[in-house]
Amino acid sequence: AQSVTQLDSQVPVFEEAPVELRCNYSSSVSVYLFWYVQYPNQGLQLLLKYLSGSTLVESINGFEAEFNKSQTSFHLRKPSVHISDTAEYFCAVSEGRDDKIIFGKGTRLHILP
Amino acid sequence: KAGVTQTPRYLIKTRGQQVTLSCSPISGHRSVSWYQQTPGQGLQFLFEYFSETQRNKGNFPGRFSGRQFSNSRSEMNVSTLELGDSALYLCASSLSFARLNTEAFFGQGTRLTVV
């Protein structure tokens, strides 16, 4: 069965600094990978997803993630964070077209002024 | 168009009671999934419904159950509540269960506190 590990429960970073949120998954088959963001007191929103094709996927607000099959990773990066990026970020995996989506435990991103 | 609506937003129940949570998906969406979110365990998948049929189920005890109506609205029920059931319960809707071309949209959740 698939699983997702987010190695950092919290990541503090100064505003305008780069950030990387780590995500590793385990699965014996091809996977679809997602990053969701949860702003305070809100539900989850899809940030970006990898289904196939280019291993580098980007979101509209400057985040990107790279699918690395050999390392079974899907780390999320942003070259320069803003205070508005303060949120909890969830990595998720699905093994098939109609399989359930399994989430990691989340990484809370703290932006320091 | 309206987003995913979960009611109630907050709920306080006593151990041993039962509770029913409601989720109205986005109009036209036929798939509804339920998740339990706690600080220690993150988001854990409960079950998914599509066209009134349960398609997937997570590893939760039988006290957790759900159903979906013909208008795609879904309810989940927890019987014999335990303190550990205190959590944020999130509902997500999508057009269909096919992940390739669909996106899951989440509601704001129902915060359940068991005392």
Side-chain angles (χ1 to χ4, degrees):
Chain A
Q2 71 269 41
S3 66
V4 179
T5 302
Q6 291 183 247
L7 295 166
D8 306 301
S9 59
Q10 296 191 63
V11 172
V13 62
F14 286 103
E15 195 169 13
E16 298 184 9
V19 69
E20 178 180 83
L21 306 183
R22 295 179 293 171
C23 172
N24 289 89
Y25 68 92
S26 67
S27 174
S28 57
V29 299
S30 297
V31 295
Y32 304 122
L33 295 158
F34 310 84
W35 275 98
Y36 280 82
V37 59
Q38 186 177 33
Y39 297 104
N41 300 314
Q42 294 188 28
L44 276 75
Q45 303 171 35
L46 180 66
L47 190 59
L48 47 77
K49 62 185 176 185
Y50 169 79
L51 302 179
S52 64
S54 173
T55 57
L56 184 67
V57 289
E58 299 176 352
S59 72
I60 58 172
N61 55 356
F63 282 94
E64 65 178 30
E66 186 160 19
F67 169 56
N68 188 318
K69 189 174 182 180
S70 63
Q71 296 186 6
T72 59
S73 67
F74 192 54
H75 301 330
L76 181 70
R77 301 185 185 94
K78 188 170 185 179
S80 176
V81 296
H82 190 266
I83 195 74
S84 60
D85 294 324
T86 298
E88 190 157 18
Y89 293 80
F90 293 89
C91 182
V93 62
S94 175
E95 277 190 342
R97 261 179 66 97
D98 54 1
D99 199 7
K100 56 187 178 290
I101 299 177
I102 301 299
F103 287 84
K105 293 190 178 182
T107 298
R108 205 171 284 276
L109 180 61
H110 294 282
I111 310 299
L112 307 171
Chain B
K1 58 184 176 182
V4 179
T5 304
Q6 291 189 246
T7 57
R9 288 292 312 279
Y10 302 92
L11 206 50
I12 300 176
K13 288 286 189 179
T14 306
R15 272 183 302 174
Q17 286 186 310
Q18 75 163 15
V19 67
T20 299
L21 312 181
S22 178
C23 172
S24 293
I26 292 172
S27 177
H29 285 196
R30 296 168 63 193
S31 173
V32 173
S33 300
W34 288 90
Y35 292 84
Q36 181 194 66
Q37 185 179 15
T38 57
Q41 297 299 317
L43 277 106
Q44 293 187 283
F45 174 78
L46 280 155
F47 26 66
E48 177 182 17
Y49 288 87
F50 179 78
S51 293
E52 302 178 66
T53 302
Q54 187 179 87
R55 294 199 65 257
N56 273 309
K57 190 176 189 306
N59 297 321
F60 277 81
R63 300 185 297 107
F64 292 81
S65 62
R67 59 178 175 168
Q68 187 180 33
F69 302 95
S70 58
N71 62 358
S72 294
R73 190 177 71 86
S74 177
E75 290 182 346
M76 69 162 280
N77 184 276
V78 188
S79 62
T80 320
L81 283 165
E82 300 176 1
L83 294 178
D85 297 332
S86 295
L88 180 67
Y89 289 88
L90 291 166
C91 164
S93 82
S94 55
L95 276 171
S96 75
F97 54 84
R99 307 298 174 202
L100 279 176
N101 297 313
T102 62
E103 174 184 338
F105 293 85
F106 282 79
Q108 290 188 286
T110 294
R111 172 79 60 187
L112 172 65
T113 302
V114 182
V115 298

